[in-house]
Amino acid sequence: MPDAAPAPNVAPTLPTDPSTALRLIRSVSRWFVGALGIGFGVLAYVYLTLPDVRPLRTANPPTTAFIELRAREARAKGQPPRRVQRWVSYGRISPDLKRAVLAAEDDLFWQHEGIDFDQLQQSFEKDWALWRFARGGSTITQQLAKNLYLSPSKNPLRKLRELIIARRLEAELKKARILELYLNVIEWGDGIYGAEAAARAYFQTSASALSPTESALLAAAIINPRAMNPTHPSNGLIRRQQLILRRMGVVSPPEDVAELR
């Protein structure tokens, strides 16, 4: 018995009734306009609720969103918030610490305008592959924006605010001022904020007198300052310190240098 002839492929057809086609067009148009309106509303909300960064040109922030978050966490545990912080100017921070932090966190800091698009793309690709927000890829300017004004969450809306604030910081402040702010507000241990407090807590010296090895150790701890104690460095912290020192040119680089990020 011969094989039955395959059924012909029948392409879907659009409605031929003019009234049905018109309803379909109206439905798609309403959906498009609605989505456009929601998107515009989100962008307007983000823009209108952004902080004014211009006072940071001359005034130091009395606190930060991150410091207040740590204070709330302490109170939730029934503990008094701890805050040790001594503000120092850009010129009173060791050049070695500046180099070490840039080597560890953002080696293109002086070149980009707040956002490292190559790192941002790599971050997006890794997050997409893992189906979660995993890789950071943030510049120092982005980290400062998050530290000053935002939460540590990684939701897309918070990330959008971070990117816009970073660009505002770059537009309103000099690069040296951005780095000065960053080095004075970041966490360097439980209740320890800024380079001066960290230098005195761990090395009994000032931020201006930090050596290259001390600077590299502090920079290595930024990734997890509550778990990595420069006074009693773990093997992992020492390995990061050595990588940072190589990037600083303090020791000869090995044939294969692992990535810090």
Side-chain angles (χ1 to χ4, degrees):
M1 179 176 181
D3 294 337
N9 291 328
V10 179
T13 60
L14 294 174
T16 56
D17 182 1
S19 61
T20 303
L22 185 60
R23 286 196 300 271
L24 178 61
I25 292 172
R26 286 175 176 173
S27 176
V28 172
S29 299
R30 283 195 296 268
W31 179 88
F32 178 77
V33 171
L36 195 64
I38 292 172
F40 179 79
V42 169
L43 290 175
Y45 169 79
V46 169
Y47 182 81
L48 292 173
T49 57
L50 290 174
D52 183 5
V53 304
R54 288 174 295 180
L56 294 174
R57 295 173 185 167
T58 56
N60 299 329
T63 188
T64 70
F66 187 84
I67 290 174
E68 294 306 309
L69 172 65
R70 288 301 193 208
R72 290 193 298 271
E73 291 175 349
R75 294 189 190 102
K77 297 177 182 178
Q79 302 169 355
R82 181 172 184 259
R83 178 178 176 181
V84 182
Q85 184 182 29
R86 301 184 185 187
W87 200 280
V88 290
S89 65
Y90 184 80
R92 293 176 57 196
I93 300 174
S94 166
D96 288 320
L97 181 62
K98 298 169 190 172
R99 289 172 57 214
V101 169
L102 294 182
E105 297 292 307
D106 188 357
D107 55 352
L108 295 178
F109 173 75
W110 298 108
Q111 284 76 48
H112 64 63
E113 296 181 355
I115 301 171
D116 186 337
F117 289 100
D118 289 338
Q119 284 292 329
L120 197 63
Q121 180 181 353
Q122 292 177 33
S123 175
F124 175 79
E125 290 172 353
K126 183 171 182 178
D127 291 344
W128 181 266
L130 297 176
W131 284 91
R132 62 186 178 89
F133 297 106
R135 195 177 194 274
S138 296
T139 65
I140 278 179
T141 313
Q142 289 175 250
Q143 292 179 49
L144 177 63
K146 179 175 66 174
N147 200 307
L148 288 174
Y149 303 113
L150 305 172
S151 72
S153 71
K154 294 186 178 181
N155 68 73
L157 184 58
R158 201 280 298 161
K159 192 67 176 180
L160 176 61
R161 287 171 61 84
E162 175 191 301
L163 294 174
I164 298 175
I165 294 172
R167 293 305 296 264
R168 283 192 170 187
L169 289 169
E170 291 276 345
E172 298 294 342
L173 308 180
K174 294 180 179 180
K175 281 282 191 179
R177 177 60 173 164
I178 292 172
L179 186 55
E180 175 188 329
L181 288 164
Y182 178 81
L183 292 173
N184 274 283
V185 300
I186 60 171
E187 185 181 39
W188 249 309
D190 186 14
I192 300 173
Y193 300 96
E196 185 71 13
R200 295 186 181 278
Y202 298 121
F203 304 115
Q204 295 76 52
T205 190
S206 66
S208 63
L210 288 167
S211 69
T213 54
E214 292 168 340
S215 296
L217 201 57
L218 284 179
I222 292 175
I223 190 173
N224 194 347
R226 287 194 163 190
M228 295 183 170
N229 188 330
T231 304
H232 306 288
S234 63
N235 290 335
L237 182 56
I238 292 173
R239 283 194 297 270
R240 282 184 60 81
Q241 177 202 36
Q242 296 305 310
L243 288 173
I244 293 168
L245 286 171
R246 294 187 190 104
R247 286 192 170 187
M248 294 168 64
V250 174
V251 295
S252 298
E255 294 182 0
D256 184 17
V257 178
E259 288 294 329
L260 290 176
R261 298 184 182 185

